Amino acid sequence: MSIESYLKAGKIASQVREDARRKYHVGSTLLEVCEAAEAQIRSMEAQPAFPVNASLNEIAAHYTAEPGDETLVKEGDVLKIDIGVHVDGYIADTAVTVCYDPRHDQMVKAAEAALAEAVRIARTGTKASDIGKVIETIIGRMGYRPIQNLSGHSLQQYTIHAGKSIPNIWTIGSSFSLQTGEAYAIEPFATTKDGSGVVHEGKVKNIFGITSRKPSKDKDADELLTVIWNRYRSLPFALRWLTNAYEEPRLRRLIDVLVKKKNVHSYPILVEGREKTVVQAEHTLIPADGGSTIITF
Ligand code: MN
Ligand code: MN
């Protein structure tokens, strides 16, 4: 792995996240939120590792702006902005929650406190289950519930979810230990005490990724598949990233073909089980003995 690429991706991701934290987003559209962050990434000689996620309120994750998305951020909203940056495929994954409802300020602090403690104990040999335990303990102590079926993950070059999960709750049974030479994202999600603490898949799907390059036998769809592969490999993409090359109705038709033929996977939004507000915080780190390099600090 390339430490230099990870450090560069991390530095850019952190800068984009902090700018997003400081900005006043009320009155902006989700399209503006996503595109501003993505433009900033591209202006710094890096690429988005996935479409910026801008998930409102009870939507925990996996919403990105549609082409022309006019959804407005309003006073009273809680917005998770999740940012991925890659340099030569080495990915930094980080998130911030901007909160325009003072009732949820403390819950944002709970997710951030849980993340701070998790990254403090994370080093070579730390058990993933111990990270889950501190996250659950801190969020619970502050009066909230962790989302139990969302988790952090190992990362590999051009792969965001590389197979290992870092839980947000204490889990029984076998657990792996963090390894030197591997990168991990840790991402506590929390909801209110009256939430279910579980997310389910919603109907909306606006993030996509190639899962197979086997020809679909539809000439136009295969041509689009090649365009996507050349630009994004198997990393996630959004329709609005392709509307410069394809008119939207045709693009949607061809993507439908590729989804049906299982060349492309579509990721549904993830919604809190009782539609309660969800907050998130996230960092990416590379463990070492005695401590980790938090590349997105
Ligand atoms: Mn993320
Ligand atoms: Mn992540």
Side-chain angles (χ1 to χ4, degrees), residues 214-228:
K214 188 172 165 237
S216 71
K217 298 200 175 105
D218 177 313
K219 186 173 155 290
D220 293 341
D222 286 340
E223 195 182 287
L224 173 59
L225 194 62
T226 302
V227 170
I228 297 168

Side-chain angles (χ1 to χ4, degrees), residues 56-60 104 144-149 190-201 270-278:
L56 283 168
N57 305 322
E58 73 278 8
I59 301 173
H104 294 310
Y144 303 98
R145 297 184 78 152
I147 301 289
Q148 51 183 277
N149 62 341
T191 188
T192 49
K193 259 272 154 11
D194 58 350
S196 69
V198 173
V199 291
H200 60 72
E201 296 184 347
L270 300 171
V271 185
E272 211 288 320
R274 292 188 193 126
E275 303 205 340
K276 298 299 176 186
T277 297
V278 177

Side-chain angles (χ1 to χ4, degrees), residues 95-173:
V96 62
T97 300
V98 291
C99 183
Y100 302 109
D101 182 344
R103 290 176 305 168
H104 294 310
D105 283 346
Q106 200 54 28
M107 185 160 70
V108 174
K109 290 212 175 81
E112 287 185 347
L115 178 62
E117 182 61 10
V119 301
R120 196 187 65 79
I121 67 160
R123 58 198 62 189
T124 304
T126 303
K127 284 199 294 190
S129 58
D130 286 337
I131 294 174
K133 191 169 165 180
V134 306
I135 290 172
E136 180 173 26
T137 302
I138 291 172
I139 289 174
R141 192 194 290 151
M142 291 177 71
Y144 303 98
R145 297 184 78 152
I147 301 289
Q148 51 183 277
N149 62 341
L150 289 174
S151 56
H153 47 94
S154 55
L155 296 140
Q156 273 166 13
Q157 193 180 18
Y158 288 107
T159 306
I160 297 161
H161 288 256
K164 295 176 187 168
S165 292
I166 301 182
N168 287 327
I169 53 164
W170 184 79
T171 45
I172 198 158

Side-chain angles (χ1 to χ4, degrees), residues 50 53 82-84 93-95 153 160 185 187 280 282:
F50 49 80
N53 289 203
D82 194 331
I83 297 153
D93 185 1
T94 189
H153 47 94
I160 297 161
E187 48 184 314
Q280 175 198 18
E282 181 175 23

